[in-house]
Amino acid sequence: MTTDLTPAEDNGRPQEAPPAAVATAVDPRLLVRQEGFAGYWSEFGRKLRSGELGSLPVVVGLIVIGLVFQLKDSAFLGAENLSNLFVTAAGTGLIAVGIVFVLVLGEIDLSVGSVSGLAAAVFAVLNVHHGMPEWLALVVSVLSGAVISALHGFFFARIGVPAFVVTLAGLLGWNGLMLQVLGSDGTINLDDSGLVAQLTNHYFTDISAAYGLATVGVAAFFWFSYRDSRRREAAGVPSRPLSEIVLRTAVLAVPAFVVAWLFNQYKGLPLAVVIFLGVVVASDFVLRRTRYGRTVYALGGSVEAARRAGINVAAVRISVFALSGTMAALGGMFLASQINAANQSSGAGSLLMNAIAAAVIGGTSLFGGRGRTWSALLGVLVIQSIASGMALLGIASAVQYMITGAVLLAAVVIDSVSRKTQKTAGRV
């Protein structure tokens, strides 16, 4: 038997909020379904207020840089300059991909420049002085980078030496070893028609190559986005509508086919670009779609929480540094290919700072737990665009360093402000 009580009679009982009073979180994917494309503006405003800027600052920065230099010199956005810009960016960009993993872990690797130079020296000595086949010398040199940085990871993860200190020691020590390996001559020229030389000098001249790569990339983006949406819908969780997927694909298609057209106006599709993009896509998949990648993010967020979750902290740390060394060695091969030699300046100069700056400028957080390998692509394009524009205008390298430093500082400031804003909004 039930009795209906009036509010006065039910004062002694805890009151339940009516269903309409319960606040529900709205997944961003539902905004387009609920509000149409106007939902994009609602989501955009929410992200700005909560500090979730993503790649927006660097994309805007690239557009501004392009417009400024194009107004100063019409050759900046020309086919030849942009093709050379992408090819030149590949070596530093590959090193920056490894740096992204280390930064997501919440650490730093100061040895990548020296490791890249040592790998180039090892390749040159094995191939030129000892007659080892290029492909085998290339494998050995890349593996040497992995082993060297795994050693850094061991001292950091097992012995407890701070990553900053052990990689700083590596910066000095491996640079010295590189000089020792090169010998008294200091320079070893490579075969100008060999495998390494072709890394940055080979172009796919058939126009179908550039357009085909753009088509495959855009189609793959649409397919994976569509499949992810259908899987989420089948699981009963918020998913993106087809109209939003089509819009995102169209936005990607515009720059993809414009760049492909520009490549075909010069020499064609550069092999260096194909390899660099392949590495970025593969590493992004590893970082965001695999269990290993999730453990890297977890360690960057909280080491203690990751340890309590059963993650082998030391093993992940060592593997991340080994991956950083592998990418440094691979990047060193591309840098050696550009000058067709290994010399005493390999891995020196501003390479280390440019690689770290590329990752940070592209959107990877210095505080750990946040970043994507696409950051390396965007960041290195910013740095290389500045360098290319300065070279066209005949501006001294000193000014280039100052501008790049200012851009890096701005990226870190944006990251810091973004994190504080997100904390205030209760999102981190």
Side-chain angles (χ1 to χ4, degrees):
M1 178 177 177
T2 60
T3 305
D4 294 331
L5 300 176
T6 65
E9 295 170 319
D10 199 31
N11 284 339
R13 301 190 178 193
Q15 299 294 309
E16 294 184 0
V22 178
T24 57
V26 179
D27 192 286
R29 296 177 182 86
L30 295 176
L31 286 174
V32 176
R33 292 186 184 276
Q34 295 174 347
E35 304 178 21
F37 286 108
Y40 276 115
W41 293 109
S42 300
E43 175 64 0
F44 179 71
R46 183 196 67 78
K47 285 186 175 181
L48 287 181
R49 290 190 297 271
S50 61
E52 298 176 62
L53 301 178
S55 300
L56 178 63
V58 68
V59 172
V60 172
L62 274 172
I63 294 174
V64 172
I65 291 171
L67 290 176
V68 169
F69 284 122
Q70 180 66 14
L71 291 175
K72 294 289 184 179
D73 191 326
S74 60
F76 180 77
L77 295 180
E80 180 179 358
N81 187 62
L82 286 183
S83 179
N84 292 334
L85 188 154
F86 275 90
V87 172
T88 306
T92 305
L94 288 169
I95 299 174
V97 169
I99 289 292
V100 168
F101 277 80
V102 178
L103 291 180
V104 169
L105 197 65
E107 301 298 335
I108 192 69
D109 188 349
L110 301 178
S111 68
V112 288
S114 295
V115 171
S116 70
L118 177 59
V122 169
F123 171 84
V125 169
L126 292 177
N127 175 242
V128 177
H129 287 178
H130 298 284
M132 181 179 288
E134 277 197 289
W135 69 269
L136 182 57
L138 179 61
V139 171
V140 172
S141 63
V142 172
L143 288 178
S144 68
V147 172
I148 286 170
S149 290
L151 182 63
H152 296 163
F154 173 81
F155 278 104
F156 166 56
R158 295 293 188 185
I159 308 302
V161 182
F164 178 90
V165 175
V166 70
T167 57
L168 179 60
L171 182 154
L172 300 172
W174 303 125
N175 184 65
L177 181 58
M178 179 195 71
L179 298 178
Q180 182 70 29
V181 168
L182 288 174
S184 57
D185 291 339
T187 299
I188 302 176
N189 294 321
L190 306 178
D191 182 3
D192 58 5
S193 61
L195 176 63
V196 170
Q198 295 305 306
L199 290 176
T200 57
N201 294 310
H202 181 75
Y203 293 80
F204 299 99
T205 55
D206 193 322
I207 63 172
S208 63
Y211 289 129
L213 180 62
T215 301
V216 169
V218 171
F221 177 82
F222 175 82
W223 168 247
F224 284 111
S225 299
Y226 179 78
R227 189 182 68 169
D228 181 65
S229 177
R230 297 289 76 81
R231 290 174 63 183
R232 294 181 66 88
E233 187 175 356
V237 295
S239 60
R240 301 188 188 280
L242 180 60
S243 58
E244 182 182 1
I245 295 174
V246 170
L247 178 61
R248 286 171 170 263
T249 304
V251 170
L252 173 65
V254 172
F257 281 97
V258 168
V259 171
W261 177 79
L262 286 169
F263 284 153
N264 284 330
Q265 301 307 302
Y266 184 49
K267 293 181 179 180
L269 176 64
L271 174 62
V273 172
V274 177
I275 296 175
F276 182 30
L277 288 177
V279 169
V280 170
V281 171
S283 56
D284 182 70
F285 178 83
V286 170
L287 192 57
R288 297 197 305 121
R289 300 290 184 177
T290 66
R291 181 179 180 181
Y292 173 75
R294 289 191 289 271
T295 61
V296 176
Y297 280 117
L299 280 179
S302 173
V303 175
E304 185 58 33
R307 182 179 288 110
R308 293 184 179 183
I311 295 175
N312 189 331
V313 174
V316 174
R317 283 174 163 173
I318 293 173
S319 68
V320 167
F321 276 89
L323 177 60
S324 176
T326 301
M327 298 310 304
L330 185 58
M333 294 298 100
F334 278 75
L335 296 171
S337 175
Q338 291 176 19
I339 62 174
N340 204 33
N343 58 34
Q344 294 179 342
S345 64
S346 298
S350 60
L351 176 60
L352 169 62
M353 291 299 101
N354 282 344
I356 296 176
V360 176
I361 290 171
T364 302
S365 177
L366 279 170
F367 303 97
R370 188 174 65 193
R372 296 179 58 181
T373 54
W374 289 102
S375 302
L377 172 62
L378 294 172
V380 78
L381 287 180
V382 169
I383 291 175
Q384 198 57 46
S385 295
I386 295 173
S388 178
M390 294 288 184
L392 284 176
L393 299 179
I395 299 176
S397 59
V399 179
Q400 175 189 329
Y401 289 148
M402 289 187 284
I403 292 178
T404 304
V407 172
L408 174 60
L409 177 61
V412 176
V413 169
I414 290 174
D415 181 37
S416 300
V417 173
S418 174
R419 288 178 64 87
K420 289 181 179 180
T421 305
Q422 290 184 54
K423 286 181 180 180
T424 301
R427 298 191 65 83
V428 293

